[in-house]
Amino acid sequence: IAGIVNATGKTADYGDNIDKMSQKLGMSAEAYQEWDFIMQHSGGSIDSMTTSMKKLSEAVVDRSDKSVAAFERLGISIDDAANMSQEELFSATITALQGMESGADRTALATDLLGKSAMELGPLLNTSAEDTEAMRQQVHDLGGVMSDEAVKASAAYQDSLQNMKTAISGVSRNLSGQFMPALTNMMDGISAIVSGDSSGIEMLSQGLKGFTSTLSSIIPQITQTAAQILPVIVDAITDN
């Protein structure tokens, strides 16, 4: 069970990261994993795409003469760009840039649309659109793409895990807080005794009584919780 829980936790953490990052980039979970694979094989990282896609979106929204002209040189009208999703626009832009000859002209155009991070995309732009599509297919063939259902399940798992941790921490703090007055009396009593103040004996005694009384009141709460959980676990193990 420990091994399965550990493996599940790692998978859920990986899937949850895909879910969050793909949403930030405005693309599907599947496309995020494809581009992550493509970027790694092109000597870059998915992180460099974040800035590029943001700059690309700004170019569409601003509709400056410079950005309109840049899109037109790639064969993309500004109206078509505005109707594309971020994922579609990025793919179309990369494909068009890959179709240009490498050189200062392409570099300047890529920088205008993708920002300074376009330099990090250089190795990707030097590959062909066919090679990029082949890498996209390869990651699927290798089984490196989690399904949308698995990604959503990972996000739900992480949310559930966080809820459980919050609930347990809350109960723990509430139970521990009940001991604070008694422990305070005990510490004050010990301090007084060490300092030669005999009144500390009474404080220590009251603290110990309070500690015992609090413990007695808490045990039924713990027992009740255990009585609800343990039989379920025992029955499940026995039935299976």
Side-chain angles (χ1 to χ4, degrees):
I1 292 174
I4 291 173
V5 170
N6 184 50
T8 301
K10 290 180 178 179
T11 300
D13 186 55
Y14 178 79
D16 185 56
N17 181 65
I18 291 173
D19 180 63
K20 299 297 187 295
M21 291 304 298
S22 62
Q23 291 184 56
K24 288 182 180 180
L25 290 176
M27 60 173 57
S28 66
E30 179 179 339
Y32 175 85
Q33 295 172 84
E34 292 171 350
W35 278 111
D36 185 28
F37 182 83
I38 291 170
M39 292 301 298
Q40 289 186 55
H41 278 255
S42 301
S45 71
I46 192 73
D47 294 334
S48 61
M49 284 180 58
T50 304
T51 305
S52 295
M53 294 184 74
K54 181 180 178 181
K55 178 67 175 177
L56 195 58
S57 296
E58 291 174 350
V60 175
V61 174
D62 292 343
R63 291 186 176 232
S64 64
D65 293 339
K66 186 177 182 179
S67 62
V68 171
F71 278 121
E72 288 181 348
R73 289 192 60 190
L74 294 180
I76 305 172
S77 72
I78 193 67
D79 290 331
D80 288 342
N83 291 323
M84 292 180 184
S85 67
Q86 290 188 8
E87 177 184 332
E88 292 170 338
L89 180 59
F90 182 78
S91 295
T93 302
I94 293 298
T95 298
L97 287 170
Q98 288 175 328
M100 296 179 63
E101 291 186 11
S102 61
D105 191 37
R106 188 184 71 173
T107 300
L109 191 58
T111 303
D112 288 341
L113 292 176
L114 302 172
K116 295 180 180 179
S117 59
M119 299 298 294
E120 297 180 37
L121 300 177
L124 173 63
L125 299 182
N126 288 331
T127 63
S128 66
E130 291 75 20
D131 288 339
T132 301
E133 188 58 35
M135 286 188 282
R136 192 190 306 277
Q137 182 58 46
Q138 185 180 18
V139 68
H140 284 275
D141 295 340
L142 293 172
V145 176
M146 290 182 69
S147 67
D148 288 342
E149 292 76 14
V151 170
K152 291 178 181 178
S154 297
Y157 178 93
Q158 290 296 86
D159 290 341
S160 179
L161 179 62
Q162 184 59 51
N163 290 341
M164 184 185 69
K165 288 181 178 179
T166 300
I168 293 176
S169 296
V171 171
S172 177
R173 286 191 292 267
N174 289 330
L175 292 179
S176 300
Q178 298 180 46
F179 286 98
M180 287 184 182
L183 291 172
T184 299
N185 277 336
M186 292 169 63
M187 290 187 293
D188 289 344
I190 292 174
S191 298
I193 293 173
V194 172
S195 301
D197 185 350
S198 59
S199 65
I201 297 176
E202 178 61 23
M203 285 189 286
L204 179 58
S205 176
Q206 290 299 320
L208 288 169
K209 290 179 181 178
F211 183 90
T212 303
S213 175
T214 301
L215 184 60
S216 298
S217 67
I218 284 178
I219 286 178
Q221 299 178 47
I222 299 175
T223 302
Q224 181 180 8
T225 302
Q228 293 173 325
I229 296 176
L230 291 177
V232 177
I233 297 175
V234 172
D235 290 344
I237 293 175
T238 302
D239 293 343
N240 291 281

